[in-house]
Amino acid sequence: MQLSKDEIQIMKLLISAPDYISSYEIGTSIGMKRRLVREKMKSVKGILKHYGYDLISKTSKGYLIDEKSMDSLNNLHQIISKHELNREGFIPVTPKERQNYILKRIIEADHYIKIDEIADELLISRSSVSRDIRSAKSFLLKYQLNIEKRPNYGIRIIGSEVNKRKPICDFLFDNLRSSDMYYDFLESTLIPEKSLENGIIHLLSKYRIEMTDIALCDFLIGLSVMITRVANHNLITQDMSFVCLNTELSCAHEIASLIASKIHFEFPIQEINQIAIQLKCKRIGIADDDHIPIIKKITDDSITSIYQQTMLSFPDKSFKKELYLNIKSAVIRLFYNEKLRTPLFNEVPIAYPLAYECAQIVSQHIFGFTDKYVSSSELAFLTMFFHTYMHHKIGNKHEVLLVCSLGYSVGSMYKSQIENKFASQIHITDICSYYQLNHVNLKKYDFIISDLPIHQDLSIPCIKISHVLNEDDYNTISSYLNYLFNKVRIDMLFHDKFYLDNISANKTSAFYFYKIFSQVYTDIKLMEIEHAINQSAKYNYNDEISLFRLSKPISNNNLVSVLIYKEPIPVDNHYARIIILFSCNEKSRLLFDILADLLNAVSVDDTALDSLYQKPSYQKFIRLLIT
């Protein structure tokens, strides 16, 4: 009897399912329409009957293999594995596909496998298999696994059972994502109340263990791998060291009992402990409030280093606490050699380069204390955390005095509308009338918002709004906030990754500085950079500084590249030693105008220019602009 690919996939789902599995769940898992699933189940039922198993089907519930036990599951899994290996057309082609196949094959095996056997299965030469195995070795190291070769026996995976499961989970998750079935998998968790998934989600809620959607999928995939491995007698035997797992252990025991009631076998205590570890590592945040001195040290040192290397400061009181919790979660995952998965790890370094740099600084301090590198996913989470604070939470709210000529009740309405619009930036602490202004201590406030023009000289800025607040007023407030308090924005505008200093000029080449920028923007062709610069707005400051604003940004990032030459070079019919390329997405010219004003001030300051020409550090360059 020859089983088709669909039949094999369906039977594997039936084996791993702890309860009834619906045609919808089967269809979303293997990419098949529900109607075709129901037709395919007829042949699956006959196949199972041939091997002595009964398939139960119930309306509104789905399908279940009758009287599943540890031994019956193991026997059926071996039968399917043989058919899967012998199935026509099941031949991985690319090196990556072959490596994944080989790794999965030898991880799931309970014995040595000969290289010739694998070569015959893949229809390739022995040398090709050996080459794929050598390439796979480095991949296995991150799981603390190794390949053992034994003459006349073959090869096998050496390592703990916990670590053997990790690449299997990674293969499954990657296949789910690459086949566009990830959201269908999420949808399958919204199924009838008596399902295992629903029961697990209920227990997570009971113990207040919150997960992201991605983490929940990862956790459920891990459980399915655990069930399959346990069914094949591949058990965790080592004792675990624990870090604050009281809540998670209680939840893990209930999850294990729930699974046992569906599949009719008991989980060993080591497996329950592993469920608890997964709960700890996949959850959002840490529930316990215990204080760990090492984590506080990493947090403090990271904040200090971030300021020293980027000039970014984070005065918000909640920032340090949240950073502490993020670092604590990362260190605990490192302790268990686990990760919190995210598909964004390739995108965030490009999308948020400055926030990514901050995350790398934190990672370096974590490594200094743990001697372990955080994962790419962990870096992505830290990057998103920093980016959020930079653009939405950085700095304390500005204390504002509201001057309203129409009375306190109208002023209260203004206050509510303005604070709702600028919730993370403005706190209107007091409201007064115009005639009371001379009796107010202005030192308490950062600026004034007034519905009347104020012509007298005051010690703080004043923003004029109309009597009927509208979108123009909000835009005015936003512009003034950016202009009056631009220090943070300038800090975030530059990035030392795009800052090159003290470059020797080649006067014989008219396009020298285009070539330098092409080294910065390596993914952009030289001709595209030249065209973008030629079409830009240009400013020249005393033949010392040239500023270019591109009509179309090179990328979606805020990038300001800085070139400082030892000698002036010809640029756009004049000479300059400092060339700055402004490539930012902003609808207005506000940031560009702020930068233009700052550079104009620097260009007439001989001391500042001399400092720039003395090969300044990135920090000193930023300090010259914002002080």
Side-chain angles (χ1 to χ4, degrees):
M1 180 183 295
Q2 181 67 45
L3 273 62
S4 69
K5 176 183 176 181
D6 293 334
E7 290 166 344
I8 290 173
Q9 289 179 310
I10 291 173
M11 291 177 67
K12 291 173 74 173
L13 287 172
L14 289 169
I15 290 174
S16 61
D19 200 354
Y20 285 93
I21 181 170
S22 68
S23 57
Y24 172 79
E25 294 173 79
I26 295 172
T28 55
S29 297
I30 65 175
M32 181 184 293
K33 293 182 179 179
R34 189 183 301 182
R35 178 179 58 81
L36 294 177
V37 170
R38 286 196 289 266
E39 293 179 2
K40 187 66 66 174
M41 293 307 295
K42 296 176 182 177
S43 61
V44 170
K45 184 175 183 178
I47 294 167
L48 289 171
K49 191 72 174 177
H50 174 78
Y51 290 107
Y53 299 92
D54 290 327
L55 181 66
I56 301 174
S57 61
K58 287 189 178 181
T59 306
S60 77
K61 282 191 173 184
Y63 304 92
L64 177 70
I65 297 176
D66 191 23
E67 296 184 356
K68 289 194 294 186
S69 66
M70 292 286 290
D71 290 335
S72 65
L73 286 174
N74 187 41
N75 292 335
L76 188 55
H77 186 274
Q78 290 179 356
I79 292 169
I80 291 174
S81 294
K82 290 180 182 179
H83 279 282
E84 188 172 25
L85 292 174
N86 295 327
R87 186 177 59 82
E88 292 182 2
F90 189 73
I91 307 296
V93 177
T94 67
K96 183 177 179 181
E97 288 176 346
R98 292 200 306 266
Q99 290 171 28
N100 289 347
Y101 174 89
I102 293 170
L103 288 176
K104 188 172 182 293
R105 178 83 166 84
I106 55 181
I107 288 173
E108 291 181 345
D110 295 326
H111 51 77
Y112 286 95
I113 299 178
K114 292 185 177 181
I115 293 179
D116 289 334
E117 184 180 345
I118 297 175
D120 291 341
E121 292 171 6
L122 297 177
L123 303 180
I124 59 177
S125 66
R126 176 188 174 89
S127 60
S128 295
V129 174
S130 298
R131 186 168 55 250
D132 289 334
I133 291 173
R134 286 195 297 270
S135 300
K137 278 187 175 182
S138 59
F139 174 78
L140 285 174
L141 287 178
K142 70 177 183 178
Y143 301 103
Q144 298 178 12
L145 299 173
N146 205 349
I147 296 177
E148 180 188 68
K149 290 185 178 180
R150 187 176 177 185
N152 301 322
Y153 282 84
I155 59 175
R156 66 172 181 171
I157 294 289
I158 299 298
S160 70
E161 173 61 24
V162 171
N163 290 336
K164 286 180 181 179
R165 296 177 186 180
K166 291 175 182 177
I168 298 176
C169 290
D170 284 350
F171 296 153
L172 290 173
F173 193 93
D174 289 344
N175 289 339
L176 200 66
R177 186 177 60 184
S178 61
S179 62
D180 295 326
M181 299 299 292
Y182 168 70
Y183 293 104
D184 288 330
F185 184 84
L186 274 180
E187 189 72 24
S188 70
T189 63
L190 306 175
I191 48 183
E193 292 185 4
K194 293 184 179 180
S195 69
L196 176 64
E197 291 88 346
N198 193 278
I200 291 172
I201 292 171
H202 172 75
L203 289 174
L204 295 180
S205 177
K206 174 183 175 180
Y207 286 94
R208 298 182 180 179
I209 297 175
E210 185 179 353
M211 295 183 181
T212 65
D213 288 329
I214 295 174
L216 177 61
C217 287
D218 202 14
F219 178 69
L220 293 176
I221 287 172
L223 278 182
S224 67
V225 171
M226 176 184 292
I227 292 170
T228 303
R229 297 289 291 176
V230 170
N232 284 281
H233 305 290
N234 295 303
L235 304 177
I236 295 174
T237 56
Q238 67 267 36
D239 293 327
M240 309 288 184
S241 298
F242 297 125
V243 176
C244 308
L245 289 180
N246 294 333
T247 301
E248 290 81 8
L249 273 172
S250 298
C251 184
H253 277 282
E254 290 206 43
I255 289 175
S257 297
L258 178 64
I259 296 174
S261 68
K262 302 288 186 180
I263 303 185
H264 311 300
F265 64 80
E266 299 293 332
F267 275 108
I269 187 61
Q270 289 88 348
E271 299 290 345
I272 297 174
N273 292 341
Q274 181 61 21
I275 294 174
I277 289 171
Q278 292 296 308
L279 289 171
K280 186 73 171 181
C281 295
K282 305 300 181 188
R283 70 182 304 173
I284 297 175
I286 302 297
D288 51 88
D289 296 322
D290 60 310
H291 179 77
I292 303 177
I294 291 179
I295 305 299
K296 183 180 183 302
K297 175 67 173 171
I298 295 173
T299 304
D300 292 340
D301 289 352
S302 297
I303 292 173
T304 300
S305 294
I306 287 170
Y307 179 74
Q308 290 173 345
Q309 296 181 42
T310 69
M311 293 298 294
L312 283 173
S313 60
F314 298 89
D316 192 321
K317 294 180 180 179
S318 65
F319 169 81
K320 185 174 181 179
K321 180 178 180 181
E322 291 193 34
L323 179 60
Y324 172 90
L325 292 176
N326 275 276
I327 293 174
K328 183 178 181 181
S329 299
V331 170
I332 288 175
R333 282 189 281 271
L334 282 176
F335 178 83
Y336 289 117
N337 197 26
E338 293 288 344
K339 61 185 176 184
L340 190 61
R341 198 188 301 271
T342 173
L344 301 175
F345 57 84
N346 288 325
E347 288 82 3
V348 292
I350 300 172
Y352 313 120
L354 188 53
Y356 183 72
E357 183 183 350
C358 293
Q360 286 181 308
I361 292 171
V362 174
S363 173
Q364 291 165 5
H365 283 284
I366 291 176
F367 176 79
F369 280 90
T370 65
D371 202 30
K372 291 183 178 181
Y373 290 103
V374 300
S375 67
S376 298
S377 292
E378 205 75 63
L379 273 176
F381 275 107
L382 285 170
T383 299
M384 297 298 291
F385 166 75
F386 277 107
H387 179 74
T388 299
Y389 257 93
M390 285 178 185
H391 292 274
H392 301 290
K393 294 186 178 181
I394 193 164
N396 294 318
K397 292 183 181 181
H398 300 296
E399 302 294 324
V400 175
L401 172 65
L402 178 61
V403 176
C404 180
S405 63
L406 300 178
Y408 188 84
S409 59
V410 175
S412 297
M413 180 185 68
Y414 289 164
K415 170 182 165 70
S416 175
Q417 292 176 332
I418 292 171
E419 287 186 335
N420 284 339
K421 193 73 173 180
F422 301 95
S424 65
Q425 297 174 280
I426 288 178
H427 178 215
I428 298 177
T429 53
D430 292 295
I431 302 171
C432 75
S433 298
Y434 184 85
Y435 73 88
Q436 298 173 317
L437 192 57
N438 287 337
H439 304 285
V440 175
N441 179 13
L442 297 182
K443 293 181 180 180
K444 296 166 51 181
Y445 312 102
D446 294 311
F447 62 94
I448 296 170
I449 296 178
S450 173
D451 64 352
L452 286 176
I454 298 177
H455 300 296
Q456 58 181 303
D457 291 333
L458 300 174
S459 59
I460 58 175
C462 179
I463 300 175
K464 169 67 172 64
I465 60 173
S466 61
H467 289 299
V468 180
L469 277 172
N470 54 42
E471 199 63 33
D472 289 338
D473 292 314
Y474 294 136
N475 289 335
T476 299
I477 294 172
S478 179
S479 297
Y480 268 79
L481 281 171
N482 288 327
Y483 182 77
L484 294 170
F485 305 98
N486 65 76
K487 178 177 178 179
V488 169
R489 297 302 303 271
I490 292 297
D491 290 349
M492 292 189 296
L493 191 60
F494 289 87
H495 183 241
D496 66 346
K497 189 175 182 180
F498 302 97
Y499 173 73
L500 309 176
D501 61 2
N502 246 32
I503 300 169
S504 297
N506 181 357
K507 293 184 179 180
T508 63
S509 175
F511 303 105
Y512 178 75
F513 84 105
Y514 296 142
K515 293 180 180 179
I516 294 296
F517 280 121
S518 70
Q519 294 174 17
V520 175
Y521 304 104
T522 55
D523 56 338
I524 307 295
K525 294 181 180 179
L526 179 61
M527 291 182 61
E528 294 177 5
I529 293 177
E530 181 183 343
H531 177 75
I533 293 176
N534 286 332
Q535 297 297 315
S536 67
K538 305 168 186 178
Y539 287 87
N540 179 43
Y541 302 93
N542 300 325
D543 283 338
E544 301 283 354
I545 304 174
S546 287
L547 172 64
F548 296 83
R549 173 192 166 92
L550 302 188
S551 57
K552 182 180 180 181
I554 288 178
S555 74
N556 292 325
N557 307 316
N558 281 351
L559 303 180
V560 180
S561 300
V562 182
L563 302 181
I564 301 178
Y565 295 89
K566 291 181 178 179
E567 299 175 2
I569 68 166
V571 179
D572 194 37
N573 299 321
H574 62 266
Y575 283 82
R577 285 184 64 183
I578 302 171
I579 301 175
I580 298 177
L581 180 67
F582 182 95
S583 173
C584 296
N585 280 318
E586 61 165 353
K587 294 180 180 179
S588 67
R589 289 171 54 97
L590 182 63
L591 284 175
F592 181 73
D593 289 341
I594 290 172
L595 182 58
D597 290 342
L598 292 171
L599 291 173
N600 184 53
V602 170
S603 70
V604 297
D605 186 336
D606 292 338
T607 302
L609 283 174
D610 287 341
S611 296
L612 287 178
Y613 294 146
Q614 296 302 315
K615 194 177 180 180
S617 65
Y618 170 73
Q619 295 83 353
K620 188 172 183 179
F621 173 79
I622 294 296
R623 194 177 290 114
L624 283 169
L625 293 182
I626 65 179
T627 57

